[in-house]
Amino acid sequence: MTAAPLPAPDVADRGFWASDRVVEALAPAVATADAERGTPWPQTLASQYARFFRDGDRTVYEANVAARHARLTRATLAALLDPRTDRVDEVVDGVLLLCEQSTWCWAAHDDTHTRFGRVTPTVTEPYLDLGAGEVAAQLAWIDHLIGPVLDDRAPGVRWRIRQETQARVLRPFTERRDWWWLGVDHPIMNWSPWIQGNVLAANLALEEDPDQRRAVTALVAEGIAAYWASLPADGGVDEGYSYWWQGAARALEAQDLLRFAGIEPEPAALDRIHATVTFPHSMHLGGDWYVNVADSVARPLATWPWNVVHAWALRVGDGDAARHAASYRGLPGGLFDERSSLPRAVRMLSDAAWAEAPTAAPPLVGRAHFPSTGIAVTRSAPGSARGLAVSVKGGHNGENHNHVDVGSVIVALDGVPLVVDAGKPTYRAGTFGPDRYELWALRGDWHNVPRIRGVEQAPGEQYAARGFEVWDDESPSHRWSSLSRPGESLAGSRQRAGAHRRVPGRSR
């Protein structure tokens, strides 16, 4: 019997997909899938794609891409519960729509205009970005989950999935090793584990040549190890809490797939993993509010895959991280969230240990400090959201997704921010270009930092905060400093810790 390519039960496992727990969890998503079947699918139009190059708008095109993905996810889940012909046909329609899209790359990332002066995709030069990786992973999981059903109902669909994924993702990944997000001439950031984790899923499920499958798996293992090495030793993430989920969490998910393929993390990577799983609960203010430096949002809109954090926290022995993750276990979306991507939704739903994990209260730690980014958080009542919680931000303004915010303060009362960071603007063409810091939400004037003699803070590591110190009033001798030696800037200490900078022009 051939081993499963991906770690989740497929449609043949009726004991799982017909179980009361799964049927109940999927009921809302399946009801939506049944209601929208037969209606027009969301369309990704050329005029929407071209808008990014014409007027800077990227939201209309990306919203329709996301809506198409979401509908196909719901259709697949409905077919898993009951693989009847009308539900399978809906999946086939969605799969072929993706296969017939001119590009899987998001317009904001495509180099078609820079290289060729075009506002439409160049189909002979596929660009491997976040969007392309997401499509490849979704198709890979669909092929794994309901492949035999697709063969019975629509022979040729799985062949088409493999052809398109090879041309748009797997071959570009292996034939071009100069992708900037691999760390070639640019610091590594969240794109690297996000894309490579999706490439790995496509490789494991869709690559038919065993030698090539092993080769790509080895490349991804090397890339994920490089990402862990790029993180600072204290586990801090300069992109903030929201982007932790699209960087470090993506690396954890990729590491899970590597473990499934028989590759364990090296000890150095385990050290970084242990450090970074402390980050989400360290940024917790109370309830669903978090410290939102850089482009992070203070109140996340989606339920994240806390099962991944819980599993890794248990592996590395971090009780606070495990309790924080488990605090989401009993909330809506704690066992399944239909807003998640198909891979995340299925893996959470099929995680038996997560399904049986007891719900816990969040630790709400009394203090946390990340010298690599100059962020410190403290609260007046450790273990409780009551009272005051304060976050201060040092560092510098040359980080990933950064704002002009060195010296800014966030103050929460009873877990709710009162002195706030306004958060990120809607992403447009100029959001990550040379004029980024002219956007109002990113300016120092919209953070609680002063102008000195009318001069605003400047971006760049050379303008790092100096003399940033944190100490414990209960133990005055217990003092930390973000400067590793007198006179050295924070930028220097971060470089030695393997930190990374914002890459102009690159975005999520």
Side-chain angles (χ1 to χ4, degrees), residues 185-428:
D185 298 327
H186 290 282
I188 296 174
M189 41 86 81
N190 72 311
W191 279 42
S192 186
W194 191 344
I195 293 173
Q196 292 190 83
N198 283 333
V199 167
L200 180 60
N203 172 62
L204 294 176
L206 304 176
E207 177 56 67
E208 296 178 342
D209 182 335
D211 292 334
Q212 183 68 2
R213 187 165 57 249
R214 283 190 291 270
V216 171
T217 301
L219 286 176
V220 171
E222 178 183 316
I224 298 301
Y227 175 78
W228 292 128
S230 78
L231 292 185
D234 62 19
V237 175
D238 58 4
E239 296 169 293
Y241 172 80
S242 296
Y243 279 90
W244 185 93
W245 289 101
Q246 306 294 25
R250 295 283 181 176
L252 293 176
E253 291 172 304
Q255 200 70 63
D256 279 334
L257 286 182
L258 287 170
R259 294 181 82 236
F260 184 73
I263 300 176
E264 294 288 344
E266 296 293 331
L270 277 175
D271 289 341
R272 290 296 197 273
I273 290 171
H274 191 174
T276 201
V277 297
T278 71
F279 189 78
H281 72 261
S282 298
M283 296 295 103
H284 191 202
L285 295 173
D288 53 0
W289 294 97
Y290 288 80
V291 174
N292 64 311
V293 299
D295 273 352
S296 285
V297 295
R299 201 175 195 179
L301 300 178
T303 299
W304 298 113
W306 285 103
N307 59 304
V308 176
V309 181
H310 187 261
W312 278 102
L314 292 179
R315 286 171 195 155
V316 300
D318 192 312
D320 282 345
R323 284 191 294 277
H324 186 233
S327 71
Y328 285 86
R329 165 67 176 70
L331 298 179
L335 289 178
F336 167 75
D337 188 343
E338 64 176 281
R339 297 168 296 180
S340 300
S341 65
L342 180 63
R344 282 183 161 176
V346 169
R347 292 176 74 179
M348 175 180 277
L349 193 66
S350 60
D351 188 332
W354 178 248
E356 297 170 2
T359 302
L364 294 164
V365 294
R367 56 188 57 83
H369 177 222
F370 295 90
S372 64
T373 54
I375 294 176
V377 184
T378 188
R379 69 179 69 248
S380 60
S384 170
R386 302 293 295 176
L388 291 174
V390 178
S391 169
V392 294
K393 167 80 165 62
H396 59 78
N397 297 321
E399 299 171 321
N400 295 299
H401 292 270
N402 197 230
H403 295 192
V404 179
D405 60 357
V406 173
S408 63
V409 178
I410 295 171
V411 180
L413 177 62
D414 296 341
V416 180
L418 297 181
V419 179
V420 305
D421 185 310
K424 72 181 182 70
T426 299
Y427 289 165
R428 295 180 56 82

Side-chain angles (χ1 to χ4, degrees), residues 31-115:
T32 302
D34 288 341
E36 61 194 358
R37 191 168 55 252
T39 64
W41 280 76
Q43 294 300 306
T44 54
L45 302 177
S47 58
Q48 299 164 355
Y49 191 88
R51 282 195 63 178
F52 179 79
F53 308 108
R54 291 170 174 165
D55 64 21
D57 184 277
R58 58 185 284 183
T59 57
V60 174
Y61 180 80
E62 290 180 18
N64 282 326
V65 168
R68 181 175 280 187
H69 275 283
R71 177 164 170 174
L72 182 52
T73 293
R74 290 188 291 269
T76 304
L77 294 170
L80 283 164
L81 254 61
D82 183 0
R84 65 190 198 221
T85 56
D86 58 339
R87 287 181 172 179
V88 177
D89 282 347
E90 174 83 346
V91 176
V92 171
D93 287 343
V95 166
L96 264 293
L97 282 171
L98 289 181
C99 289
E100 291 171 356
Q101 269 182 213
S102 294
T103 181
W104 292 348
C105 175
W106 299 344
H109 304 156
D110 204 342
D111 61 0
T112 184
H113 190 266
T114 303
R115 293 179 62 190

Side-chain angles (χ1 to χ4, degrees), residues 175-190:
E175 293 175 359
R176 275 192 60 180
R177 300 303 295 165
D178 63 345
W179 296 107
W180 67 267
W181 40 263
L182 288 173
V184 179
D185 298 327
H186 290 282
I188 296 174
M189 41 86 81
N190 72 311

